[in-house]
Amino acid sequence: MPELHFHSADGVLVAQAPVGTRLIETVRTLTRDGDLPLAWRCAQGTCGACLVYVEHAGSGGTLTLTGMERNVLVRRGALPKDAPREQPDTVATPRLACHVDVLHDMIVYIKKI
């Protein structure tokens, strides 16, 4: 199982998640248990509360955001209005945990905007 390292103002929390699950599933569990300081509401990709920055073994290429994820990130001010759906797959690209599939070990940075 991939290992997830969540970095927040509270420190680093390490968890594991099955390959192919969405990152929000682990976030939801850790948040409900009071272990992770990340707000989430819908888990459907529409509210933008699960904003994260992700680094993983496959980083460095490009990724294609879904139209919904791109629009929510623009609405939240995390991406400019003219941002294309194609984005660099780097830690600088904002993501929504509900749109990220766990495929590799990951470092997940939690920042509030």
Side-chain angles (χ1 to χ4, degrees), residues 97-113:
C98 54
H99 285 268
V100 176
D101 291 325
V102 176
L103 301 174
H104 310 279
D105 290 348
M106 294 180 162
I107 301 172
V108 181
Y109 297 94
I110 299 169
K111 299 179 184 178
K112 297 189 185 221
I113 57 170

Side-chain angles (χ1 to χ4, degrees), residues 7 12 15 26 28 35 46 49 51-53 57 70 79 98 104:
H7 291 250
V12 178
T26 302
R28 213 181 340 215
D35 296 326
T46 59
L51 178 68
V52 294
Y53 296 83
R70 181 217 167 269
L79 286 176
C98 54
H104 310 279

Side-chain angles (χ1 to χ4, degrees), residues 22-34 36 40-44:
R22 290 184 307 149
L23 183 58
I24 194 67
E25 293 173 29
T26 302
V27 165
R28 213 181 340 215
T29 300
L30 294 172
T31 301
R32 283 183 185 156
D33 293 346
L36 190 65
W40 66 273
R41 286 176 275 203
C42 70
Q44 302 299 313

